[in-house]
């Protein structure tokens, strides 16, 4: 069975002003073990490249001895990615993955949308993960005052803590709790003088063919609720559910729901459509694995606001567990709303004998 995905993986590197993106990029493009990477940045001058490591340079691109290629934005990200891919097809450039550096005040959402909806980009590239740098020294104040910084943390797959040597152990621990309150599913690593092992930055997303149960668990942060001890249990005829939620300034909440039994497709589709319709602009990120009644394998789901990647069926799935799990990071969306909304659909579907018309009549009961 062919589970190969030939699209070029893209890593989005974000973080607020002064978080250390430039330092991390410097380490990355000097690391021979990083492979052939195309690094898209705003300005070459901001990176301070060592000229003795440069093999050749043009107005638009710089090729490093490590194999990394650096280039600047050309109008917008879609234009830049299209240009890179065209030159790659022509044999002018060689790269295996792309790293995009955002500006410090950028909301990563529009770039994530481009990778999904652009007709020229989506077939050639796939999101491999969002890496957000968080400055331990100034980060706590930044998160309280800058909504963009909160969004950058909220959409992260990996959070890299920088400048931890400038704060006490207690201050760093408090900052990590602040980060966890915004995004409890993201993994966290601490940079050593701006450097992290290159492999840590890649392979973060499970939205790909061939993803294993371990990949899914890591991506969804399935360990997080158990480690934090935040568990609520609700038992009923449809199995049990686990829910966890966390609160932070700017009304950013993370919530998760688990359903142990396979879900009827009509129930899940209507639930998701309703969620997007009523709360789409407030959804910073949604990701999950869903087991649908009658399907041999589960599928992986990922969305930012109202834009969703095409669901990926895990046809090589060998796991026996049929638990579906959906994680949502959003503004003003409580865990109980998720639970109630799904239970409303379950009950109404049963009462109306799977009548779509009947489900629509009761859509007003949704808690959104």
């Amino acid at each position: 069975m062919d589970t190969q995905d030939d699209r070029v993986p893209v890593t989005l590197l974000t973080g607020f002003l002064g978080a250390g993106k430039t330092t991390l990029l410097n380490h990355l493009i000097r690391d021979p073990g990083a492979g052939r990477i195309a690094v898209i940045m705003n300005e070459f001058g901001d990176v301070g490249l060592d000229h003795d490591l440069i093999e050749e340079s043009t107005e638009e691109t710089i090729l490093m001895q490590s194999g990394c290629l650096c280039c600047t934005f050309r109008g917008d990200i879609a234009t830049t990615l299209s240009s890179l891919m065209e030159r790659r097809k022509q044999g002018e450039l060689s790269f295996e993955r792309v790293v995009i550096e955002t500006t410090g005040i950028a909301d990563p959402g529009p770039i994530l949308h481009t990778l999904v909806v652009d007709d020229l980009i989506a077939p050639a590239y796939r999101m491999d993960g969002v890496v957000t740098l968080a400055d331990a020294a100034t980060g706590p104040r930044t998160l309280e005052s800058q909504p963009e910084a909160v969004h950058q943390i909220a959409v992260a797959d990996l959070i890299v803590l920088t400048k931890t040597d400038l704060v006490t152990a207690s201050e760093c621990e408090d900052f990590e709790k602040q980060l966890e309150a915004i995004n409890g599913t993201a993994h966290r690593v601490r940079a050593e003088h701006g450097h992290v092992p290159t492999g840590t930055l890649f392979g973060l997303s499970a939205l790909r063919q061939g993803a294993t149960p371990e990949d899914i668990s890591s991506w969804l942060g399935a360990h997080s609720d158990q480690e934090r001890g935040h568990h609520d249990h609700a038992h009923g005829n449809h199995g049990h559910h686990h829910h966890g939620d966390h609160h932070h300034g700017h009304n950013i909440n993370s919530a998760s729901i688990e359903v142990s039994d396979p879900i009827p497709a009509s129930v899940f589709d209507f639930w998701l459509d309703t969620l997007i319709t009523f709360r789409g602009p407030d959804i910073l990120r949604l990701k999950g694995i869903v087991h649908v009644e009658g399907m041999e394998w589960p599928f992986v789901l990922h969305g930012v606001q109202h834009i969703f990647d095409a669901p990926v069926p895990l046809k090589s799935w060998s796991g026996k567990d049929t638990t579906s799990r959906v994680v949502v990071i959003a503004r003003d969306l409580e865990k109980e709303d998720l639970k109630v909304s799904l239970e409303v659909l379950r009950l109404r579907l049963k009462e109306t004998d799977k009548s779509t018309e009947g489900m629509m009549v009761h859509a007003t009961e949704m808690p959104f």
Side-chain angles (χ1 to χ4, degrees):
M1 184 177 296
D2 183 16
T3 59
Q4 184 67 32
D5 190 340
D6 294 327
R7 292 177 297 168
V8 175
V10 178
T11 299
L12 190 60
L13 181 65
T14 187
F16 209 70
L17 296 168
K21 297 189 299 297
T22 297
T23 303
L24 188 147
L25 275 176
N26 263 298
H27 286 293
L28 182 64
I29 61 182
R30 287 164 174 75
D31 184 358
R36 295 188 175 275
I37 302 174
V39 180
I40 301 175
M41 61 191 71
N42 295 295
E43 295 291 343
F44 289 144
D46 293 341
V47 181
L49 304 174
D50 289 338
H51 291 284
D52 58 348
L53 296 178
I54 297 175
E55 285 194 349
E56 53 185 90
S57 176
T58 69
E59 184 178 347
E60 298 175 353
T61 62
I62 292 177
L63 181 63
M64 308 296 294
Q65 291 177 6
S66 64
C68 282
L69 166 76
C70 301
C71 67
T72 56
F73 281 105
R74 296 181 57 190
D76 58 35
I77 193 61
T79 301
T80 303
L81 288 172
S82 295
S83 175
L84 282 175
M85 184 56 66
E86 182 61 30
R87 296 180 66 182
R88 182 177 186 249
K89 291 178 179 179
Q90 297 297 329
E92 298 177 19
L93 302 176
S94 176
F95 56 91
E96 301 159 350
R97 62 173 58 248
V98 173
V99 174
I100 302 174
E101 175 207 18
T102 72
T103 63
I105 58 174
D107 180 352
I111 296 179
L112 296 175
H113 289 173
T114 297
L115 292 170
V116 175
V117 303
D118 191 286
D119 292 338
L120 296 178
I121 302 304
Y125 296 94
R126 66 174 179 85
M127 176 51 61
D128 188 51
V130 179
V131 178
T132 301
L133 275 62
D135 183 340
T138 64
R141 294 185 297 277
T142 299
L143 291 176
E144 294 296 339
S145 61
Q146 302 292 341
E148 294 84 0
V150 179
H151 293 176
Q152 291 167 356
I153 296 296
V155 301
D157 294 296
L158 174 70
I159 299 173
V160 178
L161 273 74
T162 62
K163 306 180 185 179
T164 55
D165 56 319
L166 301 181
V167 299
T168 66
S170 176
E171 289 172 330
C172 192
E173 182 178 347
D174 289 342
F175 183 45
E176 290 204 59
K177 291 179 180 178
Q178 192 177 8
L179 297 172
E180 185 175 316
I182 301 171
N183 185 346
T185 67
H187 290 269
R188 295 190 300 273
V189 299
R190 297 189 181 188
E192 296 291 338
H193 303 291
H195 176 262
V196 296
T198 299
T200 306
L201 306 175
F202 305 141
L204 300 176
S205 175
L207 196 74
R208 64 181 187 276
Q209 291 283 3
T212 66
E214 291 75 20
D215 294 332
I216 300 292
S217 178
S218 177
W219 184 54
L220 294 179
H223 61 284
S224 57
D225 284 341
Q226 287 88 335
E227 290 179 354
R228 288 190 294 269
H230 295 304
H231 256 308
D232 295 330
H233 299 275
H235 298 275
N237 295 332
H238 299 285
H240 61 275
H241 310 265
H242 306 295
H243 310 275
D245 77 330
H246 311 278
H247 302 278
H248 188 265
H250 305 292
N251 300 315
I252 301 295
N253 302 320
S254 62
S256 64
I257 184 169
E258 292 185 2
V259 181
S260 56
D261 299 330
I263 304 174
S266 57
V267 169
F268 186 79
D269 289 346
F270 184 70
W271 174 79
L272 185 59
D273 287 345
T274 304
L275 178 67
I276 295 172
T277 298
F278 288 99
R279 300 305 300 267
D282 295 324
I283 298 173
L284 300 182
R285 196 170 191 186
L286 184 152
K287 55 184 177 179
I289 178 172
V290 179
H291 293 260
V292 176
E293 281 187 358
M295 289 190 63
E296 298 180 34
W297 45 72
F299 63 87
V300 182
L301 188 72
H302 176 258
V304 176
Q305 294 181 322
H306 61 288
I307 304 295
F308 278 71
D309 294 88
V312 176
L314 300 180
K315 296 183 179 181
S316 61
W317 184 261
S318 59
K320 303 299 183 182
D321 187 6
T322 61
T323 300
S324 298
R325 185 172 192 225
V326 177
V327 178
V328 182
I329 299 177
R331 302 179 189 89
D332 304 316
L333 184 60
E334 302 289 348
K335 65 173 182 181
E336 287 304 318
D337 287 351
L338 284 172
K339 172 189 173 184
V340 171
S341 68
L342 198 57
E343 286 305 320
V344 165
L345 289 180
R346 280 189 180 281
L347 292 173
R348 292 310 176 191
L349 186 66
K350 183 177 180 180
E351 291 178 6
T352 57
D353 193 25
K354 300 186 179 182
S355 166
T356 302
E357 180 179 355
M359 289 170 61
M360 293 300 293
V361 168
H362 296 283
T364 56
E365 297 183 36
M366 296 289 281
F368 304 129

